[in-house]
Amino acid sequence: MTPTKSTDKSEAIDSGSVAGEAAGKAPVPLYMRLERKEARLRADQYSKLTEHARRLSRAKAEGGDRITENTLIRVAIDLLLDRADLLAGSDEAELRNSVSL
């Protein structure tokens, strides 16, 4: 199955399961509806992502979607895109500073 492409993040997340349920088929898992993109992370970033994903998973109520490192990366990207008009700089440090990180 080809992942759903959309500019609206909620539409991209919801469209696969709704279509599958309406047709009487099993819903398509979230990870199958997303685009694959590889990213290189620093060791400290990856270990902190893992730590926070595990903490949030333990604290969440029963049911619902799994909280993984990828979940947190998607949330971080949404936050970055929400502040994209503030981005300025010629390297990672300047870009980070421009959005107050």
Side-chain angles (χ1 to χ4, degrees):
M1 164 142 205
T2 304
T4 302
K5 288 186 181 180
S6 174
T7 55
D8 179 356
K9 59 186 169 257
S10 62
E11 180 183 327
I13 291 172
D14 295 336
S15 64
S17 63
V18 173
E21 291 168 9
K25 300 176 187 173
V28 178
L30 176 61
Y31 79 93
M32 293 292 293
R33 292 179 270 139
L34 300 170
E35 296 288 330
R36 184 172 179 82
K37 172 63 181 140
E38 182 177 320
R40 301 257 177 199
L41 304 176
R42 296 186 318 260
D44 64 305
Q45 291 173 319
Y46 188 68
S47 67
K48 284 293 187 181
L49 275 173
T50 300
E51 177 185 323
H52 289 296
R54 288 179 180 165
R55 177 183 57 81
L56 291 165
S57 289
R58 284 191 304 269
K60 78 180 189 82
E62 291 288 321
D65 291 332
R66 289 177 51 211
I67 298 174
T68 65
E69 292 92 346
N70 285 331
T71 307
L72 299 180
I73 291 167
R74 287 191 299 274
V75 170
I77 290 170
D78 286 338
L79 180 61
L80 174 69
L81 293 175
D82 190 53
R83 298 180 182 181
D85 57 326
L86 301 174
L87 281 170
S90 58
D91 62 23
E92 190 172 329
E94 289 178 4
L95 291 167
R96 192 180 302 110
N97 286 335
S98 72
V99 289
S100 303
L101 292 179

